[in-house]
């Protein structure tokens, strides 16, 4: 996994600017909560999972020298909140290669992260605003 920090800043309404190194993304919620200027946080999670799956499958097939022409991964949330991931493999693959690539697809780093025993530690920082009270007007002489 990458060691870069992901930084999120507020935008209009619920829109957020996500910075990862030199890359900027937008996260938002659909109307009426947000303005739908970007994918929701859940959709970004699905994008991370699908991207990682596709990359892992492609890298493994390349290392093995297998004839994988295309890999397409679609991910969505199912009706009970589960994640449903469809992996489409195109190429001259025999059944044992397909089976191995599907095992790799189920073990990409993001999938292991979200299905494992992950601990999230929240480190709070509270910044208070200092209000300056105007100096009293001088008393009349």
């Amino acid at each position: 996994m990458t060691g870069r920090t992901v930084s999120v800043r507020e935008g209009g309404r619920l829109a957020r600017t996500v910075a990862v190194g030199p890359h900027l993304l937008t996260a938002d919620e659909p109307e009426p909560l947000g303005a739908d200027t970007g994918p929701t946080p859940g959709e970004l999670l699905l994008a991370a999972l699908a991207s990682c799956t596709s990359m892992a499958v492609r890298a493994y097939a390349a290392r093995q020298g297998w004839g994988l022409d295309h890999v397409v991964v679609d991910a969505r949330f199912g009706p009970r909140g589960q994640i449903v991931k469809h992996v489409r493999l195109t190429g001259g693959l025999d059944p044992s290669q397909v089976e191995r690539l599907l095992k790799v697809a189920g073990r990409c780093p993001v999938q292991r992260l979200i299905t494992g025993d992950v601990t999230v530690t929240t480190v709070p920082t509270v910044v208070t605003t200092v209000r300056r009270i105007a100096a009293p007007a001088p008393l009349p002489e």
Side-chain angles (χ1 to χ4, degrees):
M1 293 257 127
T2 179
R4 295 194 284 195
T5 297
V6 175
S7 182
V8 177
R9 300 290 184 261
E10 289 189 298
R13 293 172 68 181
L14 292 180
R16 299 293 180 258
T17 299
V18 181
V20 185
H23 309 288
L24 294 177
L25 308 166
T26 299
D28 200 355
E29 290 289 337
E31 294 181 356
L33 296 175
D36 203 15
T37 59
T40 68
E43 291 165 342
L44 290 172
L45 175 66
L46 293 176
L49 175 62
S51 298
C52 184
T53 299
S54 177
M55 290 175 187
V57 168
R58 169 58 65 200
Y60 190 85
R63 279 195 306 274
Q64 302 304 315
W66 294 347
L68 177 63
D69 296 329
H70 298 285
V71 57
V72 177
V73 180
D74 297 320
R76 63 178 173 79
F77 289 108
R80 291 181 301 279
Q82 79 276 24
I83 294 174
V84 179
K85 184 172 71 168
H86 295 268
V87 179
R88 183 174 49 220
L89 306 171
T90 304
L93 301 166
D94 66 43
S96 67
Q97 291 171 329
V98 170
E99 181 180 351
R100 184 65 194 138
L101 290 176
L102 291 177
K103 283 184 181 177
V104 168
R107 299 216 15 91
C108 79
V110 171
Q111 184 160 337
R112 287 185 304 186
L113 181 70
I114 64 177
T115 60
D117 187 18
V118 178
T119 301
V120 176
T121 303
T122 300
V123 180
T125 301
V126 178
V127 179
T128 58
T129 305
V130 177
R131 296 182 187 197
R132 295 183 182 233
I133 300 173
L139 296 173
E141 295 182 20

